Amino acid sequence: MKVGIVGAGMVGSAAGYAIALRGTASQVVFVDYKPEFAIAQAQDIAHATPFVSSTLVSAGDYDALEGAGVVILSAGVGQKPGESRLDLLSRNAEVFKQIIGKVLAVAPDALLIVASNPVDIMTQIATRLSGLPPHRVIGSGTILDTARFRHLISKHLQIAPQYVHAYVLGEHGDSEILAWSSARAGALTVEKFATSINSPLTDVVKAEIEDGVRNAAYKIINGKGATWYGIGAGLERIVRAIAQNERPVLSLSTVTAEVEGVKDVALSMPRIISQDGIEADLMPDLTDEEHAALGKSAALLKKTLDALHF
């Protein structure tokens, strides 16, 4: 499968690097508004592939995306000093207006994966601009937040994170919900597992984990300016699910008909993903408090979108 990546910056290049090193796709093609930058990124990654895979990595204009099964949208502009979130969103919406039509003109059958932030709003914008059905426009959503959640729970339980099943729902942002009530380790709730190994999940421990999930990006940004490796791996995971038709359950964002009474809003919940895109939504069992928090997250996203004119 050919994978296109529009936007060859740190997130796009990290995704391309992960895809190439795992051999997830037969081809990776970078497109960027700075062609020489896309070429440099492609060549640098291509020089790593002889050690690990046969993935072909190149760069080109939009016509090079012809035949792509997946196109990752990681392009966007940074926030200017004093600029409001809505102003930033408006400028990124304009970027997507320029990109999406060109992508679909040469790759009309591609699934679109949105990585640009704020990812939930940008996923909804991409869905509107493309005219594609929602199941074909997939935001990376809380896939990274969920990975952070599982990582921190696994550290406390001293087990491999692959055996922790827990999800972050809602917005990829401050209103996200860590769904503790449905979190499992092996066949047990995480609370029962923790108690059985004499390492209970106290309120203090939970608060530390919550802080680690919610503020991870801020800490990384303060330390090195941006995050890219974690989300790059998350994007590769989405592409692998599509390329291999795995049908895993991942926490992804897509426009959803109704969530907690809020209609037509893009946010994350566990979803089955296949070669055809999103196949099903899987709402986990939640407490009344978690349901209310998810409703607030959905309402916040809807309010932000409604305030945006594009």
Side-chain angles (χ1 to χ4, degrees):
M1 185 180 72
K2 178 192 283 189
V3 174
I5 300 177
V6 181
M10 297 310 300
V11 170
S13 62
Y17 186 59
I19 291 166
L21 259 62
R22 285 192 64 103
T24 305
S26 59
Q27 297 181 61
V28 173
V29 179
F30 286 100
V31 176
D32 196 272
Y33 80 103
K34 295 180 179 178
E36 68 281 2
F37 182 61
I39 291 170
Q41 293 284 47
Q43 287 185 350
D44 197 14
I45 294 171
H47 297 161
T49 58
F51 299 109
V52 288
S53 82
S54 59
T55 299
L56 300 176
V57 184
S58 62
D61 204 344
Y62 285 91
D63 58 0
L65 300 176
E66 184 177 0
V70 171
V71 176
I72 297 171
L73 304 178
S74 56
V77 295
Q79 193 163 6
K80 297 177 179 178
E83 184 177 38
S84 72
R85 188 166 182 253
L86 280 178
D87 287 339
L88 174 63
L89 274 169
S90 295
R91 291 201 296 132
N92 273 329
E94 289 300 322
V95 171
F96 269 33
K97 279 184 181 180
Q98 298 172 30
I99 288 172
I100 289 175
K102 295 177 181 178
V103 169
L104 294 178
V106 295
D109 298 323
L111 299 180
L112 301 183
I113 299 179
V114 180
S116 303
N117 275 318
V119 69
D120 302 293
I121 303 296
M122 296 308 295
T123 299
Q124 192 127 18
I125 288 170
T127 304
R128 288 189 182 180
L129 291 174
S130 68
L132 295 174
H135 72 272
R136 289 184 55 194
V137 184
I138 304 156
S140 57
T142 59
I143 193 168
L144 180 54
D145 310 88
T146 290
R148 291 166 176 159
F149 191 23
R150 291 175 173 175
H151 165 71
L152 292 171
I153 291 173
S154 72
K155 280 185 67 177
H156 180 76
L157 301 180
Q158 299 183 52
I159 61 173
Q162 291 82 2
Y163 299 96
V164 175
H165 306 285
Y167 295 93
V168 177
L169 314 177
E171 178 194 17
H172 172 56
D174 294 339
S175 72
E176 65 189 18
I177 300 92
L178 280 64
W180 284 102
S181 63
S182 60
R184 298 287 186 272
L188 303 176
T189 66
V190 290
E191 285 86 357
K192 287 182 179 179
F193 192 108
T195 299
S196 71
I197 61 170
N198 298 315
S199 186
L201 278 167
T202 64
D203 289 342
V204 171
V205 171
K206 282 188 173 183
E208 289 175 349
I209 290 174
E210 292 243 2
D211 178 72
V213 174
R214 294 183 184 281
N215 295 314
Y218 298 119
K219 293 174 183 176
I220 293 169
I221 289 168
N222 287 338
K224 67 174 193 174
T227 67
W228 54 82
Y229 292 127
I231 188 57
L235 292 166
E236 184 280 329
R237 182 68 189 95
I238 299 170
V239 172
R240 183 167 17 119
I242 296 166
Q244 299 179 9
N245 198 29
E246 288 184 17
R247 305 183 80 249
V249 177
L250 303 176
S251 54
L252 302 170
S253 184
T254 195
V255 176
T256 308
E258 188 274 329
V259 179
E260 303 294 345
V262 180
K263 298 184 183 299
D264 190 37
V265 62
L267 47 61
S268 286
M269 66 174 64
R271 306 181 195 266
I272 299 172
I273 180 170
S274 72
Q275 62 187 3
D276 299 317
I278 300 295
E279 284 199 358
D281 305 337
L282 305 171
M283 176 66 78
D285 293 331
L286 302 175
T287 64
D288 290 344
E289 182 179 355
E290 289 167 341
H291 276 294
L294 182 57
K296 288 181 180 178
S297 185
L300 174 64
L301 288 165
K302 184 69 170 179
K303 180 180 179 182
T304 303
L305 181 71
D306 289 345
L308 179 66
H309 300 289
F310 70 97

